[in-house]
Amino acid sequence: MNSLLNSKSVLNTLNSVLATQPKLTALPPLSLYIHFPWCEKKCPYCDFNSHQIKDGKQGFDEARYIKALITDLETELPRIWGRQVHSIFIGGGTPSLLSAHGMNELLSAVRARVNLEPDCEITMEANPGSVETDKFAGFAKAGINRVSLGIQSFQDAQLKALGRIHSGEEAKRAIAIALQHFKSVNLDLMFGLPNQSLEAAKSDIETALSFKTPHLSFYNLTLEPNTYFANFPPKLPSENEIDAIFEQNLNLLEAAGYRRYEVSAYAKKDQECKHNLNYWRFGDYIGIGAGAHGKISFPDKITRQVRERHPETYMQAMETKGNALIEAKEIPAKDLPFEFMLNTLRLTDGVDTVTFGERTGLPLNVVSKGLDEASKKGLLDSNPNKLKATEQGLRYLNNLQEIFL
């Protein structure tokens, strides 16, 4: 009898575990992220995987790095065979340090190996200090159709405090050049800068709006661990001053026809960034390059990969082993709800509740307790067909996301 009860107990436990394993009926959209790890100068607030180019461009071998990227992409092909790539994002670091020839070689190799959607969005990040007219024309010819410019501010004193290599005038010139060559241009701006006043923040937004770019990103400067600013923090505006800057500039953006569609992203109608939307909707992405992360779904599991961070170590690994993975794992079913919510709750429109099952392969009832708690706290919209943060939820997004941790 005890043996029978034990068998039933084991069977019930097994069924319970199996019931929460991912079962995807369809695979999500697929993107490609390419990391370029070098920059001319490491900014004191930056916690991205970027490495300052030394005198004489020591350590920066463009041809060698591109060859490693192509090999890296080839190792991923069996995992995404038959799937279309709908967006590419080349981030860094400062990808605009690549030559136009190198960019053309890289994108030609990508096209030869993966099936790109006809209207594939191809974004490159660029530093205004590394913008050249001929170079941008070459990037556009290579296939780049969207550029994201790291402006941060138009005020020279603020740019100096942020350790940027460009001036306000160089930023304006870079925007004008980008608008001549690319279908879409995004401007990255920061607020809550060292000693920033309400009026200075307003001036930055008004200058950005004068260029009428289709997309703007508006970030609050945060002191990230393992950065210079974390160890030597500058004097930042108070929380009340930061709130005032945000509300002021949000009103200016909305009045100019920009809709806030994600916590820090604003776009004119139908000009949202397809690549970032795929992240926030818990889509799939191949990640190649030094320190790149990837997420690939299969019918019965969702996997993540991480590559070697240092560019030299990454290139050596690609050359000697044929891969530079330092982590490759299946995401445990228990972690999927948090990962999903961590991304999708950033969207101001949220997502339909059915998206949870489509992207995690899990039933919605696995998060029912968290949904009830978040709704009672006023952080989650009460619409039963939506997973959407309230205004309060967006304001206290970390608190909302932690409920599902």
Side-chain angles (χ1 to χ4, degrees):
M1 186 67 175
N2 287 339
S3 176
L4 181 60
L5 287 173
N6 288 338
S7 296
K8 285 183 177 179
S9 176
V10 170
L11 184 59
N12 288 338
T13 302
L14 181 60
N15 286 336
S16 175
V17 171
L18 289 174
T20 58
Q21 293 305 301
K23 295 182 180 65
L24 277 69
T25 56
L27 299 180
L30 178 66
S31 297
L32 169 62
Y33 176 75
I34 303 172
H35 192 74
F36 181 86
W38 289 283
C39 55
E40 289 188 56
K41 181 183 178 184
K42 181 79 172 180
C43 296
Y45 57 84
C46 178
D47 68 335
F48 293 115
N49 183 34
S50 58
H51 303 261
Q52 186 168 320
I53 294 176
K54 298 176 182 177
D55 293 340
K57 293 197 173 183
Q58 182 181 351
F60 174 39
D61 186 331
E62 177 176 288
R64 185 183 174 207
Y65 190 69
I66 290 172
K67 184 178 179 180
L69 288 173
I70 295 168
T71 304
D72 200 353
L73 178 60
E74 288 174 344
T75 66
E76 286 295 291
L77 296 182
R79 288 160 41 84
I80 54 97
W81 205 254
R83 297 177 66 180
Q84 269 196 328
V85 169
H86 88 141
S87 66
I88 299 173
F89 196 102
I90 307 169
T94 307
S96 51
L97 290 174
L98 276 168
S99 68
H101 171 78
M103 184 66 75
N104 184 62
E105 181 184 353
L106 174 61
L107 291 180
S108 295
V110 169
R111 290 190 199 93
R113 288 161 177 79
V114 298
N115 181 17
L116 301 185
E117 287 188 0
D119 60 344
C120 183
E121 175 191 271
I122 305 178
T123 303
M124 177 192 71
E125 289 185 331
N127 188 317
S130 62
V131 169
E132 302 167 17
T133 303
D134 291 345
K135 205 175 190 184
F136 263 28
F139 288 151
K141 189 174 180 181
I144 301 293
N145 52 34
R146 185 177 183 274
V147 160
S148 181
L149 287 169
I151 303 297
Q152 315 316 350
S153 176
F154 291 95
Q155 325 234 348
D156 289 345
Q158 295 288 6
L159 291 168
K160 184 176 180 181
L162 291 172
R164 303 296 287 171
I165 64 170
H166 66 274
S167 67
E169 286 304 310
E170 285 174 324
K172 295 173 187 176
R173 175 179 171 271
I175 298 169
I177 294 171
L179 287 169
Q180 292 174 13
H181 294 288
F182 302 103
K183 178 182 175 182
S184 183
V185 176
N186 168 64
L187 307 182
D188 273 347
L189 292 173
M190 283 185 173
F191 68 97
L193 306 181
N195 301 304
Q196 187 179 41
S197 67
L198 196 63
E199 193 57 38
K202 182 180 181 182
S203 175
D204 273 348
I205 282 291
E206 288 179 336
T207 303
L209 292 176
S210 71
F211 288 96
K212 297 181 170 60
T213 60
H215 195 284
L216 287 167
S217 299
F218 187 45
Y219 298 93
N220 185 8
L221 173 62
T222 54
L223 305 185
E224 301 291 350
N226 304 314
T227 62
Y228 181 87
F229 272 1
N231 295 321
F232 304 97
K235 180 176 173 49
L236 301 180
S238 69
E239 189 173 332
N240 286 340
E241 289 171 324
I242 289 173
D243 286 345
I245 289 171
F246 174 76
E247 292 298 333
Q248 167 193 259
N249 288 9
L250 174 61
N251 291 333
L252 290 169
L253 285 160
E254 290 179 343
Y258 291 84
R259 189 178 77 87
R260 186 188 189 198
Y261 70 97
E262 187 267 346
V263 169
S264 304
Y266 303 77
K268 294 286 185 72
K269 183 176 172 55
D270 300 325
Q271 294 296 317
E272 295 86 356
C273 177
K274 288 172 62 177
H275 188 88
N276 286 342
L277 275 175
N278 194 39
Y279 287 151
W280 296 323
R281 289 171 177 162
F282 208 50
D284 281 354
Y285 49 96
I286 309 160
I288 62 172
H293 291 231
K295 169 188 171 282
I296 302 294
S297 300
F298 299 88
D300 60 343
K301 63 184 177 181
I302 300 173
T303 64
R304 283 204 183 280
Q305 293 183 335
V306 183
R307 282 149 172 78
E308 292 279 2
R309 284 179 59 84
H310 195 280
E312 178 59 33
T313 309
Y314 167 79
M315 289 187 289
Q316 286 181 5
M318 292 308 307
E319 291 162 355
T320 59
K321 298 190 301 181
N323 79 73
L325 296 177
I326 56 173
E327 185 177 300
K329 67 176 184 178
E330 180 179 339
I331 305 174
K334 65 182 178 62
D335 294 341
L336 287 171
F338 174 68
E339 292 213 14
F340 178 87
M341 296 297 185
L342 186 67
N343 288 280
T344 56
L345 291 177
R346 295 181 62 89
L347 294 166
T348 58
D349 289 342
V351 294
D352 294 336
T353 50
V354 295
T355 309
F356 179 85
E358 290 172 350
R359 298 294 160 87
T360 66
L362 301 173
L364 188 64
N365 62 18
V366 300
V367 290
S368 56
K369 183 179 177 182
L371 297 178
D372 288 342
E373 182 183 344
S375 186
K376 286 175 182 175
K377 289 182 175 179
L379 302 176
L380 197 69
D381 193 285
S382 59
N383 184 342
N385 299 315
K386 279 280 186 182
L387 298 172
K388 174 184 174 182
T390 60
E391 284 297 321
Q392 186 179 358
L394 288 172
R395 185 180 180 88
Y396 299 103
L397 186 60
N398 288 345
N399 301 70
L400 172 57
Q401 292 165 332
E402 283 171 2
I403 290 173
F404 301 95
L405 182 61

